[in-house]
Amino acid sequence: MEQQVQGEAIVKLSSVSFQYDDKRVLTDVDFTLERGDFLGIVGPNGSGKSTLMKLILGLLTPTSGGVYLFGKPLSKFREWNRIGYVAQQVAHGAGGFPTTVREVVSSGLVGKVGLFRRLTASHHQQVKEAVERVGLLEKLDQRIGSLSGGQLQRVFIARALVAEPELLILDEPTVGVDQESIEQFYSLLRSLKEENGMTMMIVSHDVGVMTQWVNKVACVQQKIHFHGTAHEFEHNHEHILQQMYGGSMKLLSHHH
Ligand code: ADP
Ligand code: MG
């Protein structure tokens, strides 16, 4: 019964609260992501966006409330290869790191293939296709340390894509990526949504650009302050952002 009530929601949070030790980060969050949504998440630094993503991915457990994935309570959900995740990057400094693009992207198949099994020819083909999809085929056997920030982010997308997930979660994938590459990046995401019917959720600070590509927006600061269509957000954004950022719009372009 309860599972039918979850309907077509791919992600559902019901009254979720979370705290680290004694620090309360999210309070009573209700949230739904529907199949085919391309949702943008905005909020000031430290407002709980990454925490929200980690709760959805089961990397953290709510203090109270429930998380449902594809209609199942998180505790019963096992099909993790239906979900791709690109984590927020902590300072690159990949300098002389010897791993190649092919190796990084292949690691995205671990969930499907098993840790110590060999990749088959068809797995190798999937890896090549994912790398081609993000426009980096000519870099396949290069070390990731030799790539630009924008290229590296595309490698992480390819790794998340290679197992053909239905839901892709991206946490600040455009930090450190130049303006022109950001547009290309969103254009890639949109084509993934349109051609592969993927559902996507992206945390981003580039609110102005992002809201032109997504169809839904959620604003997080301990609670969900707004959750609606990109169109509704655009019409009310001054009011919504004022509430969230306390009037200091400068925060919007503040990258860390
Ligand atoms: P955002 O992604 O919106 O910048 P986070 O979800 O990363 O915010 O963090 C929310 C709050 O929780 C911040 O105040 C942060 O300092 C705190 N926090 C994040 N991770 C931890 C942790 N592992 N232990 C304790 N506090 C944390
Ligand atoms: Mg974060």
Side-chain angles (χ1 to χ4, degrees):
M1 273 302 276
E2 201 187 44
Q3 293 192 5
Q4 281 168 6
V5 175
Q6 303 308 324
E8 266 299 276
I10 286 201
V11 176
K12 187 175 158 69
L13 271 68
S14 171
S15 310
V16 166
S17 296
F18 180 80
Q19 53 186 65
Y20 293 102
D21 302 319
D22 56 355
K23 189 183 165 60
R24 184 156 264 248
V25 178
L26 294 170
T27 305
D28 223 8
V29 168
D30 289 305
F31 171 84
T32 307
L33 184 71
E34 277 161 53
R35 187 176 289 278
D37 271 354
F38 185 178
L39 172 79
I41 295 187
V42 300
N45 285 329
S47 61
K49 304 180 298 297
S50 295
T51 302
L52 181 67
M53 302 304 109
K54 289 174 190 167
L55 286 163
I56 290 169
L57 291 156
L59 300 171
L60 295 171
T61 307
T63 317
S64 62
V67 177
Y68 302 84
L69 295 174
F70 296 91
K72 276 194 185 148
L74 196 106
S75 58
K76 299 220 169 90
F77 184 79
R78 296 285 178 273
E79 304 149 292
W80 290 106
N81 55 26
R82 294 175 82 175
I83 303 179
Y85 172 47
V86 179
Q88 184 171 353
Q89 300 304 311
V90 190
H92 292 131
F97 206 53
T99 316
T100 66
V101 170
R102 188 197 293 276
E103 287 163 348
V104 172
V105 176
S106 299
S107 73
L109 284 170
V110 162
K112 270 196 168 167
V113 181
L115 199 46
F116 300 107
R117 302 220 192 99
R118 284 179 170 276
L119 299 187
T120 64
S122 99
H123 290 132
H124 284 297
Q125 187 55 32
Q126 270 176 271
V127 169
K128 267 178 101 169
E129 279 167 16
V131 174
E132 189 168 27
R133 198 77 179 71
V134 299
L136 289 175
L137 195 52
E138 77 280 12
K139 307 274 186 198
L140 190 61
D141 289 302
Q142 289 199 14
R143 295 177 171 208
I144 59 167
S146 68
L147 304 179
S148 71
Q151 290 169 335
L152 190 56
Q153 286 299 42
R154 273 144 61 198
V155 172
F156 293 131
I157 304 288
R159 176 174 63 185
L161 286 180
V162 70
E164 300 184 324
E166 290 163 62
L167 167 63
L168 184 60
I169 297 178
L170 305 141
D171 195 348
E172 300 206 29
T174 56
V175 169
V177 177
D178 64 86
Q179 206 58 43
E180 195 185 328
S181 309
I182 287 180
E183 293 282 346
Q184 284 173 16
F185 184 79
Y186 279 106
S187 158
L188 166 67
L189 294 183
R190 179 178 280 176
S191 67
L192 287 170
K193 172 176 147 55
E194 283 169 3
E195 290 158 32
N196 304 29
M198 211 176 266
T199 304
M200 283 189 281
M201 204 157 125
I202 179 168
V203 175
S204 185
H205 278 285
D206 49 50
V207 182
V209 181
M210 186 257 275
T211 49
Q212 288 168 14
W213 295 90
V214 297
N215 69 327
K216 299 245 178 94
V217 176
C219 303
V220 177
Q221 186 170 39
Q222 190 162 334
K223 291 173 172 273
I224 304 277
H225 285 259
F226 168 85
H227 193 348
T229 65
H231 188 71
E232 287 162 348
F233 177 79
E234 265 172 33
H235 274 257
N236 294 304
H237 74 276
E238 283 180 15
H239 177 66
I240 295 163
L241 295 175
Q242 174 110 27
Q243 267 195 328
M244 243 192 348
Y245 290 83
S248 169
M249 298 300 162
K250 287 195 191 103
L251 272 172
L252 286 178
S253 55
H254 173 78
H255 286 211
H256 41 199

